[in-house]
Amino acid sequence: MCTNYRVPDRQLFSEYYGTSPPLSEWRDEVYKDYFAPIIRRDGDGRRSDLASFGMVPREKIPPGVKVFDTMNARAETVGEKRSFSGAWKKQQICLIPAQVFYEPDYETGKAVRWAIGMADGEPFAIAGLWREWEGEGGSRLSFTMLTLNADHHPLMKRFHKPGSEKRSVVIIKPDDYDDWLGARSMGEARSFMTLPDATDLAGALSPK
């Protein structure tokens, strides 16, 4: 599960993601309901847009309904959950540019924030879903990250509270960006749902 991550510097977008960054500014560290860049298919190419982190923005949760989080979608059941199934069935998939994502490690008995990224230090892309909302100010986009069970992953099993299920974001390899964005069926999209190779990742303590 990932609820906080860092976006790469905008000057890196063309080199690593094959598109220009959105014109609007965003915060380096992204939390729930913050706006951040996502990359979607645009004809035969790619385009970037700002979208809010969390498939259902807080303001769209009806009055009287307990606030719930939708920053992550379980890849195993994404087609069954109301918050995500529509976007999944329509193949509204995206890439989420990231430099690192943050997870809590409890091995000392207390939550210690770690930053996880690629071992070579380069930016990467997390598999995501997006949807569009209409409002008084016009339309806006939101997004969620796809995750998989990581109970047996050499690195990702170290994070989150003892006894809780371990989860990992799905990382799309650069050579697969266009194939992922152009997936024509749910089955084809699922072929990209794999855990990242532990040797490709690096984790380190992160200052708050």
Side-chain angles (χ1 to χ4, degrees):
M1 183 174 181
C2 175
T3 60
N4 172 217
Y5 71 102
R6 177 176 288 275
V7 181
D9 293 338
R10 62 172 49 247
Q11 64 265 28
L12 299 175
F13 268 63
S14 294
E15 177 182 356
Y16 286 94
Y17 304 111
T19 185
S20 299
L23 293 177
S24 300
E25 297 294 325
W26 63 81
R27 300 186 187 185
D28 292 339
E29 274 199 41
V30 181
Y31 292 85
K32 180 180 179 180
D33 289 329
Y34 284 22
F35 279 84
I38 62 171
I39 297 170
R40 300 183 291 164
R41 184 171 182 173
D42 184 21
D44 293 329
R46 308 170 194 166
R47 62 172 292 171
S48 63
D49 297 281
L50 283 188
S52 60
F53 187 26
M55 201 68 157
V56 182
R58 183 185 296 268
E59 69 210 44
K60 296 297 183 180
I61 298 176
V65 175
K66 184 179 179 180
V67 175
F68 54 93
D69 292 332
T70 53
M71 289 88 80
N72 296 167
R74 296 170 64 94
E76 299 92 338
T77 58
V78 65
E80 304 168 16
K81 302 299 182 181
R82 183 177 179 182
S83 298
F84 312 115
S85 60
W88 175 247
K89 292 172 182 177
K90 295 175 183 176
Q91 292 301 281
Q92 291 177 183
I93 53 186
C94 63
L95 297 167
I96 303 166
Q99 188 68 52
V100 296
F101 59 95
Y102 300 100
E103 300 286 8
D105 180 290
Y106 283 84
E107 292 173 340
T108 63
K110 297 181 180 180
V112 178
R113 189 167 95 146
W114 278 55
I116 301 98
M118 306 309 291
D120 58 14
E122 294 188 348
F124 57 98
I126 296 169
L129 294 176
W130 64 271
R131 68 167 293 178
E132 188 171 12
W133 299 86
E134 295 296 334
E136 295 181 0
S139 63
R140 63 179 282 187
L141 301 175
S142 63
F143 69 97
T144 188
M145 296 177 172
L146 288 161
T147 69
L148 284 169
N149 178 278
D151 283 344
H152 303 292
H153 191 273
L155 176 62
M156 299 309 299
K157 70 179 181 181
R158 299 179 60 183
F159 304 110
H160 297 291
K161 293 181 179 180
S164 65
E165 182 188 8
K166 314 306 179 185
R167 306 289 299 177
S168 171
V169 296
V170 174
I171 295 177
I172 303 297
K173 296 178 180 180
D175 288 345
D176 292 334
Y177 285 174
D178 287 324
D179 290 336
W180 161 250
L181 293 175
R184 293 166 292 182
S185 69
M186 290 181 283
E188 186 176 353
R190 282 198 180 280
S191 69
F192 296 91
M193 298 291 101
T194 60
L195 291 172
D197 191 320
T199 60
D200 292 335
L201 297 178
L205 295 175
S206 174
K208 293 185 178 181

